[in-house]
Amino acid sequence: MTTTPQRAERVENASVTNRTYLPGFGNQHVTEAVAGALPEGRNSPQQAPLGLYAEQLSGTAFTAPRAENRRTWVYRIRPSAAHTPFRRISRRSLLASPVVNDCPEPNRLRWDPLPFPEGEVDFVAGLFTYGGTGDVRAQEGVAIHLYAATSSMTDSYFVDADGELLIVPQEGGLELRTELGVLDVAPQEIAVVPRGIRFQVRLRDARARGYVLENHGRMFTLPELGPIGSNGLANHRDFLTPVAAFEERDEPARVVQKYLGGLWAADYDHSPLDVVGWHGNYAPYKYDLRNFMVIGTVSFDHPDPSIYTVLTSPSGHAGTANADFVIFPPRWLVGEDTFRPPWYHRNVMSEFMGLVHGVYDAKAEGFVPGGASLHNCFTSHGADATTYERASTVELSPQKVDNTLAFMFETRLPVVVSEQAMAAAHRQHDYDAVWQGIGKRFTAPGGFASPAGVSLKNVPDHWD
């Protein structure tokens, strides 16, 4: 826990470089951009310091257990209530759960990278929903989006009242200016913006593309380690929260709010990112996926992919997540007499995969950075024919899987694919072909096969 308020620069129109962050997952942080912005000994004095307004941002119910309670006190130049009524605006290709599809299908699906749009398109306008599960109104399930942006947000800001956003950049860095400070996020890093926190996305490069998991369920937390013990996977200290930084701009601004799937806009006469100091544990954060401590076999076989879980959104069923964020980073493979790529399987969980860079070790071709695949519940999948042939015959020695980063959004509920994703020009309609050419290898020494192909070896003469 940070006890001394951390200082930061004021954020004007120019970007702040050499960021300072507050380490620790779920910590109670204390930070101010101007000395004396935080009151002493109380949260809501009769008059807040420096002429600021005190405001509480609650991420959980007031009476949530202390260990689960998430709230932050902010001290801002104007209350966030100072805006015009919201008005409905077009949501373009951004949808919400429940996603409507009159005929959802169980087929395996794969897409090429989301194409970049022509002209100037910012982060919000560039969101494209692939599918979702659950219901935002019941605060259950997820929605899965990709974004492709070619311009920064300048006088507009975004807030998601439906869920927290897990952002996975694939190409191009992002500057996330939030009410509570600024996060710089590049490919191989992730950012999480909690539900209800306003932010703006500025591009670090000419264009940016990536993936977004919108979590409607319980907030992301670190998975339990069980017999792994007290260390491993993603460590608390590597999660970084921004120090306080604010915009003092008395200019027209627009806040776009996602509410029950729709987009609504309200006008401000100032920047909504005017928080000069804050304290609490409800805040955005980032994490460098290269800090993930990979654990695997040192004998034979390999563990379930859950061993690669970075963050989890628990459900009401122990061990069965509303959503998991799982990564497949560089790692050593040393299993003896082991088929080292992921084995063939059918899973009660639905698996949406993306690739940040490199090659995924279960697919030799067709799955490229920026692409995506979906294997819904109990949909058979695994290594393609080329990968199986290589992995089942190669001479086994210690092998470094390097220069790659794949990930998986996993959920216990079936994902309903949007009609726009099914009809998208970048969908691969021949995906099933990757499993063609997997030949029959069965041999049964001394056995006898019936004309129907069923082995009758050791079958009794009479059926009971």
Side-chain angles (χ1 to χ4, degrees), residues 388-459:
Y388 183 86
E389 184 64 31
R390 181 182 67 246
S392 62
T393 58
V394 68
E395 182 178 351
L396 295 180
S397 60
Q399 173 195 0
K400 180 70 176 293
V401 177
D402 209 355
N403 298 316
T404 182
L405 179 60
F407 71 88
M408 183 164 63
F409 297 151
E410 190 176 63
T411 174
R412 69 187 182 95
L413 301 172
V415 174
V416 178
V417 180
S418 67
E419 292 179 349
Q420 63 186 16
M422 293 297 294
H426 59 287
R427 178 185 158 203
Q428 298 180 10
H429 292 276
D430 59 347
Y431 182 32
D432 283 323
V434 305
W435 288 283
Q436 303 304 311
I438 301 179
K440 177 180 178 181
R441 295 167 174 262
F442 175 68
T443 57
F448 173 77
S450 72
V454 178
S455 174
L456 301 181
K457 184 177 181 180
N458 297 325
V459 173

Side-chain angles (χ1 to χ4, degrees), residues 340-393:
R340 290 177 175 175
W343 14 255
Y344 294 105
H345 64 292
R346 291 175 293 163
N347 191 356
V348 68
M349 305 285 280
S350 299
E351 303 174 4
F352 181 94
M353 288 201 66
L355 184 62
V356 175
H357 71 94
V359 177
Y360 179 51
D361 59 337
K363 296 290 185 291
E365 57 185 24
F367 187 47
V368 298
S373 68
L374 175 64
H375 303 138
N376 244 317
C377 60
F378 290 113
T379 298
S380 303
H381 57 288
D384 59 26
T386 303
T387 301
Y388 183 86
E389 184 64 31
R390 181 182 67 246
S392 62
T393 58

Side-chain angles (χ1 to χ4, degrees), residues 97-99 104-106 131-144 213-218 313-317 319-324 347-352 374-379 408-417:
S97 297
V99 171
E105 57 185 69
T133 184
D135 190 336
V136 64
R137 293 165 294 188
Q139 287 297 286
E140 180 182 48
V142 300
I144 298 170
L213 181 64
E214 183 181 20
N215 175 26
H216 304 314
R218 293 170 60 183
S313 165
S315 71
H317 303 277
T320 306
N322 175 71
D324 282 332
N347 191 356
V348 68
M349 305 285 280
S350 299
E351 303 174 4
F352 181 94
L374 175 64
H375 303 138
N376 244 317
C377 60
F378 290 113
T379 298
M408 183 164 63
F409 297 151
E410 190 176 63
T411 174
R412 69 187 182 95
L413 301 172
V415 174
V416 178
V417 180

Side-chain angles (χ1 to χ4, degrees), residues 28 51 67 105 162 183-184 214 222 270 293 315 317-318 330 390:
Q28 294 279 353
E105 57 185 69
D162 291 345
L183 293 171
D184 282 324
E214 183 181 20
L222 299 181
H270 62 279
M293 179 182 146
S315 71
H317 303 277
R390 181 182 67 246

Side-chain angles (χ1 to χ4, degrees), residues 141-208:
V142 300
I144 298 170
H145 319 285
L146 269 75
Y147 67 87
T150 56
S151 67
S152 295
M153 301 168 68
T154 53
D155 59 354
S156 65
Y157 304 82
F158 183 58
V159 56
D160 194 332
D162 291 345
E164 67 179 335
L165 299 175
L166 169 60
I167 302 171
V168 186
Q170 181 269 319
E171 179 179 331
L174 303 177
E175 179 186 82
L176 304 181
R177 295 187 171 194
T178 81
E179 292 182 87
L180 305 185
V182 185
L183 293 171
D184 282 324
V185 190
Q188 302 191 70
E189 297 179 314
I190 61 169
V192 174
V193 180
R195 180 183 172 200
I197 289 184
R198 296 168 178 179
F199 67 101
Q200 183 185 73
V201 180
R202 298 202 175 192
L203 306 191
R204 286 296 194 185
D205 303 287
R207 63 185 193 177

Side-chain angles (χ1 to χ4, degrees), residues 106-119:
N107 285 313
R108 299 165 294 205
L109 300 169
R110 190 163 71 181
W111 294 265
D112 289 329
L114 181 66
F116 284 100
E118 297 182 0

